[in-house]
Amino acid sequence: MLFRSPQEHPRLIFRKSQLPDLQAKVKTPAGQAILARLQETLKSPVYYQGYVPTGGYHAAGYCLLWLLQGDQSAAEKAGQLVETSMSRPGRRLLEQSPIVAGVALSYDLCYSAWNQERRQRVSKWLFGQANQLLKGDSPKNGWNSNAWSNWNARARGAAGLAALALVGDPQFPQAQRLSQLAERNIERYLTTAIGNIGFGTEGDHYTTEVFTLTVFPFLQAYRNATGLDRKSTRLNSSHTVISYAVFC
């Protein structure tokens, strides 16, 4: 891992050292258009139930506003959304996964804005969730343990995001191992569900959904947080390139 300390946040979507450039770019016409789009998106309803709970993702959006504009109220709004998301778990691991993914991204982006008490509460929750998502569940609860399953991709991508957000923190010495387990599961998903052709075995809907919700964010976070090019890891670059070409 190449980040200098457990306190180097953000580290998942982009690194702390990149923030000044992003803050400068947001003042350009293109940056203003993107910012306006983000603000408009955040006006949409927040869903805490259903197949794709959005509270965590909304929180991440507000955290991004805080980083780009220094608006502390946005960081507090994100904190409230995260607290609510953590208190309203998904019905199954399928629904819990996007909650965990959104909270992990929010924790990373809003780390410097939140007090120690909130960081402690969220980080402990993320660690527990990463363990549970990697463990899986019973088929009685709908869990599909096959490597090519969208359940696997959703759960293990989210677990990877949570673990990467915690790696290096002395409170969670197992976080790096959890991130490696998530990496192996995502590799199996890419190999068995996508292969070298780029079409998902479960059809376009399930495939594009899991890529958007957890797989793409995990791949981005893995590269940023570890500093490793995917070509030199188990996450074979050919699968990733093909997947980006098909689904973006």
Side-chain angles (χ1 to χ4, degrees), residues 112-132:
S112 298
W114 293 343
N115 60 34
Q116 181 66 14
E117 182 182 354
R118 176 170 282 165
R119 291 200 298 262
Q120 288 276 358
R121 187 161 57 250
V122 176
S123 62
K124 289 179 180 179
W125 184 87
L126 286 172
F127 184 72
Q129 293 297 312
N131 274 286
Q132 181 58 53

Side-chain angles (χ1 to χ4, degrees), residues 16 40 48 78 84 87 99 106 109 151-154 170 201 205 209 212 233 247:
K16 186 175 181 179
E40 186 64 27
Y48 293 105
T84 303
S87 68
I99 297 175
S106 301
L109 293 172
W151 287 68
N152 173 47
R154 269 206 194 201
T201 59
H205 174 72
E209 184 178 72
T212 303
T233 71
F247 298 116

Side-chain angles (χ1 to χ4, degrees), residues 7-234:
Q7 286 71 41
E8 186 191 338
H9 293 278
R11 67 170 72 152
L12 300 183
I13 301 175
F14 51 84
R15 298 295 287 265
K16 186 175 181 179
S17 61
Q18 296 174 297
L19 185 56
D21 286 341
L22 291 173
Q23 291 169 331
K25 288 178 180 178
V26 82
K27 298 176 182 179
T28 67
Q32 287 294 298
I34 293 171
L35 183 63
R37 177 58 178 161
L38 171 60
Q39 292 170 327
E40 186 64 27
T41 300
L42 290 175
K43 295 178 183 178
S44 60
V46 178
Y47 299 103
Y48 293 105
Q49 298 299 321
Y51 290 111
V52 184
T54 60
Y57 296 124
H58 265 73
Y62 279 109
C63 287
L64 185 57
L65 281 183
W66 172 75
L67 285 173
L68 295 177
Q69 298 184 312
D71 183 357
Q72 185 64 36
S73 65
E76 182 55 33
K77 175 66 173 177
Q80 294 169 4
L81 287 166
V82 161
E83 299 281 0
T84 303
S85 295
M86 292 192 303
S87 68
R88 300 181 65 176
R91 186 165 61 92
R92 305 167 298 179
L93 291 191
L94 185 77
E95 292 85 6
Q96 184 68 1
S97 299
I99 297 175
V100 175
V103 171
L105 294 172
S106 301
Y107 173 81
D108 180 57
L109 293 172
C110 268
Y111 185 90
S112 298
W114 293 343
N115 60 34
Q116 181 66 14
E117 182 182 354
R118 176 170 282 165
R119 291 200 298 262
Q120 288 276 358
R121 187 161 57 250
V122 176
S123 62
K124 289 179 180 179
W125 184 87
L126 286 172
F127 184 72
Q129 293 297 312
N131 274 286
Q132 181 58 53
L133 292 175
L134 286 166
K135 180 181 178 181
D137 201 355
S138 168
K140 294 180 181 179
N141 296 324
W143 174 253
N144 186 336
S145 61
N146 288 296
W148 45 261
S149 168
N150 68 99
W151 287 68
N152 173 47
R154 269 206 194 201
R156 274 55 189 268
L161 284 170
L164 287 171
L166 301 175
V167 168
D169 189 323
Q171 295 183 90
F172 310 105
Q174 294 180 317
Q176 184 167 348
R177 177 177 174 274
L178 296 182
S179 73
Q180 292 169 341
L181 290 174
E183 174 197 346
R184 292 168 190 165
N185 277 279
I186 293 300
E187 180 209 9
R188 294 188 188 106
Y189 174 76
L190 293 173
T191 301
T192 58
I194 308 301
N196 60 359
I197 299 176
F199 295 96
T201 59
E202 294 184 295
D204 291 345
H205 174 72
Y206 285 139
T207 306
T208 55
E209 184 178 72
V210 297
F211 266 77
T212 303
L213 294 177
T214 65
V215 174
F216 279 163
F218 172 71
L219 293 176
Q220 175 78 5
Y222 181 84
R223 181 175 183 178
N224 280 348
T226 66
L228 295 174
D229 189 319
R230 287 185 294 274
K231 291 180 181 178
S232 62
T233 71
R234 288 182 292 272

